[in-house]
Amino acid sequence: MNKVLLVSVLVLASSSVFADQTTEKKGGFIGPSNVKVQTVAVALEAKDDTQVMLTGYIDASLGDEEYKFRDDTGEIIIEIDDRDWNGVEATPETKIVIQGEVDSGWSYTTIDVDTVRLAK
């Protein structure tokens, strides 16, 4: 009886620990940032892995988690993983702020987005 009780307690304890580890937690700092790249035009000229924070609009979905993003200075392709939307729903008229980093290669420059939020 004691062995069965001990096994039951261990199974319950390990399943609750596992559940805590897989539960997505939200939140973080909202405030001033020292990210210098804040326009599409500057992002298009930035080096690979440069941190960016852009405010603008998503004009179209290109499929495979890629979107056409624009601000007053130009357009760029961005990639937003499904988990990085943070519950934000956007239309072409929804002004958003994206944070991420430049992903550039020989013939392309895109933004790998880490977070999306509504602009104020």
Side-chain angles (χ1 to χ4, degrees), residues 53-116:
M53 181 169 43
L54 307 175
T55 302
Y57 304 88
I58 294 176
D59 284 334
S61 171
L62 304 175
D64 199 28
E65 299 180 338
E66 289 189 337
Y67 303 88
K68 187 182 346 175
F69 180 87
R70 71 173 160 83
D71 69 7
D72 293 337
T73 67
E75 295 181 342
I76 194 166
I77 304 301
I78 63 174
E79 180 183 337
I80 307 173
D81 293 338
D82 291 336
R83 70 179 180 276
D84 294 329
W85 279 96
N86 298 316
V88 172
E89 293 183 357
T91 69
E93 293 79 31
T94 307
K95 191 172 190 178
I96 61 171
V97 177
I98 60 171
Q99 287 184 278
E101 58 275 335
V102 172
D103 182 16
S104 63
W106 178 269
S107 62
Y108 69 90
T109 299
T110 63
I111 304 297
D112 185 10
V113 176
D114 295 324
T115 62
V116 178

Side-chain angles (χ1 to χ4, degrees), residues 16-29 83-87 114-115:
S16 67
V17 167
F18 179 74
D20 286 344
Q21 291 174 350
T22 59
T23 302
E24 185 175 328
K25 298 192 179 355
K26 300 196 186 229
F29 178 73
R83 70 179 180 276
D84 294 329
W85 279 96
N86 298 316
D114 295 324
T115 62

Side-chain angles (χ1 to χ4, degrees), residues 31-42:
S33 170
N34 59 355
V35 173
K36 303 296 184 219
V37 178
Q38 297 188 349
T39 68
V40 169
V42 175

Side-chain angles (χ1 to χ4, degrees), residues 36-53:
K36 303 296 184 219
V37 178
Q38 297 188 349
T39 68
V40 169
V42 175
L44 286 167
E45 300 299 321
K47 294 180 180 178
D48 192 40
D49 295 327
T50 299
Q51 294 294 308
V52 301
M53 181 169 43

